[in-house]
Amino acid sequence: MKLIVGLGNIGREYINTRHNAGFMAIDKLLAGQMARQDTKFEAEIFKSGEMLLCKPSTFMNESGRAVRKIVDFYKLDICEVVIIHDDLDIDLGEYKIQKGVGPKVHNGVSSVESALGSKDFLRVRLGINNREKNNFGGSGSDYVLTKFTEEELEEMSDVIEESMDELVVALSL
């Protein structure tokens, strides 16, 4: 079984923010199917065959708590976990699929690493950095909470589709 977790923040105010790129990817994989809220996991879960799609309902910085509960319940190995997340170290429109490598700072990813006691899981790192084009002078933590422009949403949709296609092939789902 594979656990594919998209990181993000719950709540209407976070829809289409850069920090919710992981949620956007899970929504793309769900293709309109509905996940159910499962309070014992603190997550929205969709199960299909040997695949679990998950959007933690904890906030970003506590994502590891939900991931740990699911991993324990299903008795999964670290190699069966995939985390999809925004990455400020990568330019908008680009992505990387890597094992054990992540951004310099990402509290959601750090939470998962801490909860699992390992960094050795697959990550889909979705680039969100477009600060120069947007003339953004604030902090990274402020920037990740800004909403994508319509043009950026189109670019994100394309990169999410491309990265999810690659992920599905890589996992042989």
Side-chain angles (χ1 to χ4, degrees):
M1 180 169 289
K2 298 289 183 189
L3 171 62
I4 303 173
V5 180
L7 299 186
N9 282 314
I10 56 171
R12 297 187 67 75
E13 65 270 30
Y14 298 107
I15 292 172
N16 292 331
T17 62
R18 296 168 197 285
H19 224 18
N20 273 23
F23 278 10
M24 294 165 68
I26 292 296
D27 290 341
K28 182 70 116 179
L29 288 171
L30 284 171
Q33 299 177 72
M34 296 301 294
R36 65 178 171 77
Q37 178 65 36
D38 194 321
T39 55
K40 76 179 171 208
F41 296 135
E42 295 183 90
E44 289 182 29
I45 300 279
F46 178 82
K47 186 172 189 254
S48 177
E50 291 298 306
M51 180 175 62
L52 288 170
L53 299 177
C54 167
K55 293 186 337 186
S57 55
T58 59
F59 281 93
M60 177 69 79
N61 296 354
E62 297 295 325
S63 299
R65 192 170 70 224
V67 173
R68 178 85 253 175
K69 288 178 181 185
I70 298 166
V71 165
D72 288 348
F73 183 83
Y74 286 98
K75 298 175 178 37
L76 300 173
D77 291 326
I78 299 298
C79 65
E80 297 169 308
V81 176
V82 179
I83 304 295
I84 306 170
H85 62 88
D86 61 289
D87 196 319
L88 199 50
D89 296 340
I90 301 173
D91 288 337
L92 181 73
E94 298 178 14
Y95 70 93
K96 294 181 181 180
I97 298 178
Q98 298 173 302
K99 188 174 186 178
V101 178
K104 295 175 198 142
V105 177
H106 192 295
N107 291 334
V109 174
S110 295
S111 173
V112 172
E113 290 172 349
S114 177
L116 296 179
S118 175
K119 295 181 179 197
D120 202 28
F121 50 84
L122 195 62
R123 303 135 193 265
V124 179
R125 303 170 60 195
L126 300 171
I128 61 163
N129 186 15
N130 205 19
R131 289 178 282 190
E132 286 182 22
K133 185 174 181 188
N134 292 334
N135 294 318
F136 188 85
S139 71
S141 58
D142 289 336
Y143 184 70
V144 299
L145 296 177
T146 63
K147 292 191 181 284
F148 288 111
T149 65
E150 286 300 318
E151 182 181 284
E152 289 173 328
L153 277 173
E154 288 179 32
E155 194 167 355
M156 279 305 296
S157 180
D158 291 345
V159 80
I160 286 171
E161 185 168 344
E162 183 180 337
S163 64
M164 293 304 96
D165 287 349
E166 185 177 328
L167 177 64
V168 168
V169 169
L171 297 177
S172 301
L173 297 177

